[in-house]
Amino acid sequence: MTADADADFDALVPHPGVGRAFEQTVVAGLADAAPGGRVRLDALARWLQDAALDDVVDAGLGGVALWVVRRSRIKVEAFPRFGDVATVRTWSSGTGRMWAQRRTTIAVGGRALVEAVALWVHLDPQSGRPFPLTPAELDLYGAGREIKARLRHPAPPSGAASAPWTFRATELDVADHINNAAYWSPLEAELLAGVEPAAVDVEIEHKTPAQPGEHEVLAAGDRRWIVDAADGAVRASFALG
């Protein structure tokens, strides 16, 4: 981006030193790695969402709500590599009435390689609608920081460059829409077509759920948009740091 990403993106706040933090180990496997050996962005996104779910289940709150990602930032200082044993550490970095923010660090050999922050919306498992965090969730995850859920990425401009993209039925998840990790695949394909990146800093906002089928990826400067090919609805947008 032309502006400072740290000023424009959600802050990567440190763990406060008190309160819950959850850790698990992930081994970078064959399905995670690009041809050059680095772990792909979509694989990193999958690691992050799995750690978030495993944290909630480990805390005994797995059946309370469905959590859906609204916005996520992944800042890679150096990519984990195929075969690396990574430690994924995650914690709550703020809450709102019907949403919460989660920070995650991915480290290899004691060195933090990836910092991430995500805004998750708290949904009722039966109705699928947002509902307030329960007292038990606030007791465990209330971090003292108030988080806003407003989206801020702009709409795509007229005349943006366009490339086709197809979401597959195999990318549907238990919520019956395209899983959030799959949205990173078009950007990953762009990286694979160019020079191997040493570091990236990217924020995604999810606008409306995507279904399998034909889409377009629009590009203008440091922005990308995934839009439905049939009606032009924006499904997600990226800001590149």
Side-chain angles (χ1 to χ4, degrees):
M1 295 180 69
T2 54
D4 178 13
D6 282 328
D8 293 345
F9 293 173
D10 284 341
L12 297 165
V13 300
H15 188 273
V18 295
R20 180 180 173 86
F22 176 79
E23 287 189 5
Q24 64 184 21
T25 299
V26 179
V27 178
L30 289 169
D32 301 318
R38 67 173 175 83
V39 174
R40 300 186 317 274
L41 291 173
D42 56 298
L44 291 176
R46 189 175 65 252
W47 289 7
L48 297 172
Q49 72 173 3
D50 287 349
L53 175 60
D54 291 346
D55 177 25
V56 172
V57 171
D58 180 74
L61 299 171
V64 174
L66 296 175
W67 291 91
V68 176
V69 175
R70 187 73 161 159
R71 179 170 54 242
S72 182
R73 175 189 183 184
I74 298 178
K75 183 176 184 179
V76 179
E77 298 288 353
F79 282 90
R81 310 287 299 177
F82 171 68
D84 280 348
V85 179
T87 299
V88 183
R89 185 171 188 259
T90 187
W91 65 93
S92 171
S93 52
T95 56
R97 183 167 176 265
M98 295 185 288
W99 49 85
Q101 188 187 77
R102 178 179 288 277
R103 275 277 287 114
T104 309
T105 295
I106 299 174
V108 174
R111 177 192 173 194
L113 301 185
V114 180
E115 300 286 358
V117 58
L119 176 69
W120 292 79
V121 179
H122 185 254
L123 303 182
D124 183 277
Q126 278 71 49
S127 69
R129 299 182 63 83
F131 79 111
L133 274 70
T134 66
E137 290 170 315
L138 288 171
D139 285 345
L140 195 63
Y141 292 117
R145 295 175 68 242
E146 183 179 357
I147 301 300
K148 304 295 184 183
R150 182 177 60 87
L151 298 181
R152 53 178 179 255
H153 289 186
S158 59
S162 176
W165 187 263
T166 302
F167 282 126
R168 302 167 297 168
T170 52
E171 294 167 323
L172 290 168
D173 61 19
V174 295
D176 197 28
H177 55 61
I178 297 300
N179 183 262
N180 81 83
Y183 287 81
W184 290 86
S185 294
L187 186 58
E188 177 60 40
E190 183 178 332
L191 295 182
L192 288 169
V195 177
E196 185 76 3
V200 298
D201 192 359
V202 184
E203 183 180 81
I204 184 174
E205 286 190 346
H206 296 272
K207 312 287 187 180
T208 55
Q211 291 295 313
E214 301 305 312
H215 290 72
E216 295 179 357
V217 179
L218 306 182
D222 54 17
R223 302 281 181 168
R224 305 289 185 272
W225 296 264
I226 302 175
V227 304
D228 191 289
D231 61 12
V234 176
R235 302 306 185 195
S237 58
F238 292 95
L240 284 63

